[in-house]
Amino acid sequence: MKSQQKDRRKQMSNLKDIQLYINGEFIDAASGKTFENINPFTNEVINYIAEGDAADIHVAVEAAHRAFHGEWGQLKVSERLKYIYKIADLIDEHIEEIAPLESMDTGLPISQTKNMVARSAQNFRFYAEMVSNRLVGEAYQVDDEFINYTIHKPIGVAGLITPWNAPFMLETWKIAPALATGNTVVLKPGEWSPVTANRLAEIIDKAELPKGVFNVVHGFGETAGASLVAHPNVQLISFTGETTTGSEIIKNGADTLKRVSAELGGKSPIIVFDDADFDRALDACTWGIFSFNGERCTANSRLFVQESIYEQFVDALKERIPKIIVGDPLNNETEVGPLIHIEHFNNVKKYIQLAKDEGAEIYSGEVPKEFGKGNFVPPTFLLNVTNEMRVAQEEIFGPVMAVMKFTDEKEVIRLANDTKYGLAGYVWTNDIKRGHRVAQGVDSGMVWINSQNVRDLRIPFGGSKYSGMGREGGHYAFNFYTETQVIHVALSDHHIPQFGKKN
């Protein structure tokens, strides 16, 4: 096992510096600037990344604009989808290489990144099939006088701004529907996880799409990201990330009337009733907060346990926490790796200190001493928490869960909804009627009953309240990535008022 880790680290040790990918070419930023990319496991520099800004965004958008109105826009759908399938095949060929890159760059355990990369290929195949089978219009007949029908048309240049957690999968989650429906793309990936975005650019370059169809501009949100949002030739922005940034994007996109899809933060409840399957609820609870190192928007970061089983459930958590394997993300056995960046690590640690200051009891595992250089926060849960505490209201985005008790159904629905967020929720009970009642009572875009966070690509994904606006996923993505046009056709010489005509 250790030799396998060594081989992976050796493979990662000589990564080349990363350029922008614009109009089918890998190029330096116009300014010549670069920024450091840091390994979260060692806090050493991995490589240097070209720092794009407004000038580079402009060149990329203009290239995408030309491609949309040129070769890409003129392709038959069947020809366009051949490219989409080709990208999926190329991703499959490189899973064993991409997964370690993702783990090294983000700190996510490789056992999880392998699954995410495999799913990334499926994103492309899924949307190729969806466009073939579900991108259809409707017809409305009005007696024998008219027929009205709808068609879906690509919109133009799609600006995609993606986060640093699970970057490869989340990038493909946006790129696949954007390209499959006929748009062109300018991607601004998260600056803390640029490596696999570059690898994706290399893969798409191999697929030989027409120049300008797909572009990647690395850089920072306040420069590259803001310029992408402001550019008049970008018709839509799909953003996944922090709520405050999402709000700014929505405001700044209004000047050019962009359509915006925003999947933002969460503080999702998991509700465990006393009749739940205890062991399965415990499995789902620990997986839901500690997988992805807790850096996931749908993490069940607030646990509500019915009071009659509260002590038993907490004891079971206390038994589980020390056994969770914290370590090298390139080790197949690791379950929790380092947080992505020292800045984020410090922020999560501040919340743990805040929990102490607010009167919570901290219970956590340990980080082995040999991993002292990394951004490790061990699996942690907080006891003696009340729902009004900041640690129960604000998104921590790490392996930290607030634990609270409740008495009955009515109370727990009120507590679950007592937050500005509304992305996800989880309900555990063997009373299926109650499960449906509570699920429907929770104010969130998605709720799972007796299940962990399992995603079906056909369903809509998105949140309510401060967790975002819009839905992507399945055919719901068509509402965002295409324009619905109505064509009205007269079938007979129907009456037309004859203004100004003399009898």
Side-chain angles (χ1 to χ4, degrees):
M1 191 65 69
K2 285 189 176 179
S3 64
Q4 190 179 38
Q5 287 171 246
K6 218 178 219 183
D7 290 343
R8 285 170 177 164
R9 289 225 167 270
K10 190 175 179 183
Q11 181 190 353
M12 305 297 116
S13 62
N14 295 314
L15 282 182
K16 64 182 181 181
D17 293 341
I18 288 175
Q19 297 176 294
L20 313 181
Y21 181 68
I22 297 176
N23 201 31
E25 296 182 2
F26 289 93
I27 60 173
D28 293 331
S31 67
K33 290 181 180 179
T34 61
F35 61 93
E36 293 179 340
N37 182 34
I38 306 297
N39 185 328
F41 181 59
T42 63
N43 273 303
E44 296 169 348
V45 175
I46 298 173
N47 54 3
Y48 291 86
I49 317 301
E51 184 183 335
D53 57 22
D56 305 289
I57 288 289
H58 180 71
V59 174
V61 171
E62 290 308 299
H65 187 68
R66 286 193 303 272
F68 179 75
H69 291 284
E71 183 179 354
W72 186 250
Q74 294 164 14
L75 283 177
K76 290 183 177 180
V77 172
S78 59
E79 293 300 313
R80 184 170 75 229
L81 296 184
K82 285 179 183 177
Y83 286 109
I84 308 303
Y85 282 116
K86 190 173 182 181
I87 294 169
D89 291 342
L90 287 167
I91 291 173
D92 277 340
E93 289 175 17
H94 294 277
I95 288 174
E96 292 301 319
E97 168 204 343
I98 297 168
L101 287 173
E102 186 95 313
S103 292
M104 178 199 63
D105 203 26
T106 64
L108 293 172
I110 195 165
S111 60
Q112 295 167 37
T113 60
K114 278 183 179 179
N115 293 333
M116 288 188 278
V117 174
R119 178 149 176 187
S120 299
Q122 180 58 21
N123 283 337
F124 282 95
R125 291 195 182 92
F126 174 79
Y127 274 105
E129 292 164 7
M130 286 294 294
V131 168
S132 295
N133 299 314
R134 287 295 302 268
L135 189 59
V136 295
E138 299 174 311
Y140 305 88
Q141 189 168 349
V142 182
D143 300 324
D144 60 351
E145 291 188 328
F146 300 97
I147 188 165
N148 309 313
Y149 66 91
T150 64
I151 60 171
H152 290 276
K153 298 167 68 173
I155 296 172
V157 180
L160 310 180
I161 303 176
T162 54
W164 45 257
N165 65 319
F168 196 81
M169 182 179 70
L170 293 176
E171 286 153 8
T172 62
W173 168 248
K174 297 179 186 295
I175 294 164
L179 293 181
T181 52
N183 300 287
T184 55
V185 165
V186 177
L187 171 69
K188 207 300 281 183
E191 57 266 29
W192 287 349
S193 57
V195 170
T196 53
N198 180 68
R199 194 69 191 94
L200 182 58
E202 292 172 340
I203 285 171
I204 292 179
D205 188 66
K206 275 189 182 180
E208 298 181 321
L209 275 67
K211 288 189 174 185
V213 171
F214 176 73
N215 308 270
V216 181
V217 179
H218 299 278
F220 298 98
E222 57 269 26
T223 50
S227 299
L228 186 60
V229 172
H231 201 289
N233 279 341
V234 175
Q235 277 72 42
L236 56 88
I237 294 287
S238 178
F239 171 75
T240 299
E242 192 265 335
T243 295
T244 304
T245 306
S247 178
E248 285 298 311
I249 285 171
I250 293 165
K251 285 186 280 189
N252 294 339
D255 290 339
T256 48
L257 294 177
K258 285 179 175 58
R259 61 174 65 183
V260 176
S261 173
E263 193 270 285
L264 308 176
K267 194 72 176 175
S268 302
I270 181 168
I271 299 166
V272 181
F273 284 94
D274 57 11
D275 68 337
D277 185 320
F278 188 96
D279 291 332
R280 289 181 60 79
L282 183 64
D283 289 341
C285 178
T286 52
W287 164 261
I289 186 62
F290 302 130
S291 59
F292 289 29
N293 301 341
E295 297 166 322
R296 63 190 305 170
C297 54
T298 54
N300 46 252
S301 51
R302 292 184 301 150
L303 168 62
F304 296 100
V305 184
Q306 197 159 23
E307 59 184 358
S308 58
I309 61 166
Y310 177 83
E311 297 298 337
Q312 182 187 0
F313 205 88
V314 168
D315 287 344
L317 277 173
K318 286 180 177 178
E319 189 177 336
R320 281 285 183 94
I321 292 292
K323 297 177 183 177
I324 294 172
I325 300 171
V326 177
D328 185 343
L330 292 179
N331 184 339
N332 291 325
E333 303 302 315
T334 294
E335 295 170 320
V336 173
L339 300 184
I340 191 164
H341 194 276
I342 190 69
E343 182 181 320
H344 183 54
F345 165 81
N346 288 334
N347 190 55
V348 173
K349 295 290 280 186
K350 282 179 185 175
Y351 271 108
I352 294 173
Q353 181 58 50
L354 173 64
K356 291 180 183 176
D357 296 342
E358 289 186 308
E361 177 189 343
I362 315 300
Y363 192 92
S364 65
E366 292 187 359
V367 178
K369 290 180 181 178
E370 65 264 33
F371 302 136
K373 290 182 179 179
N375 305 323
F376 284 96
V377 172
T380 300
F381 65 88
L382 314 175
L383 299 174
N384 299 329
V385 174
T386 56
N387 205 46
E388 69 274 6
M389 290 181 180
R390 285 180 59 192
V391 290
Q393 289 292 320
E394 298 176 14
E395 186 176 38
I396 299 173
F397 217 65
V400 181
M401 178 173 63
V403 184
M404 292 166 276
K405 69 175 69 171
F406 70 93
T407 54
D408 57 29
E409 183 180 321
K410 184 176 179 182
E411 181 192 24
V412 79
I413 291 174
R414 177 183 62 78
L415 289 169
N417 291 337
D418 183 20
T419 173
K420 68 180 183 180
Y421 294 108
L423 184 58
Y426 306 85
V427 180
W428 282 84
T429 176
N430 277 327
D431 180 343
I432 198 62
K433 291 180 181 178
R434 176 165 64 186
H436 283 287
R437 285 196 307 269
V438 175
Q440 293 179 28
V442 172
D443 296 334
S444 66
M446 303 168 287
V447 182
W448 284 263
I449 300 175
N450 296 333
S451 171
Q452 86 276 29
N453 183 346
V454 177
R455 284 275 295 116
D456 184 325
L457 292 177
R458 295 170 296 180
I459 65 170
F461 187 97
S464 61
K465 302 194 289 190
Y466 278 63
S467 289
M469 55 187 290
R471 294 292 183 272
E472 297 187 42
H475 66 84
Y476 299 89
F478 297 153
N479 295 330
F480 180 66
Y481 288 104
T482 70
E483 193 73 74
T484 302
Q485 184 179 31
V486 183
I487 312 295
H488 304 267
V489 182
L491 300 179
S492 66
D493 293 335
H494 61 285
H495 173 69
I496 302 175
Q498 298 176 330
F499 278 26
K501 184 176 180 179
K502 305 286 185 183
N503 289 330

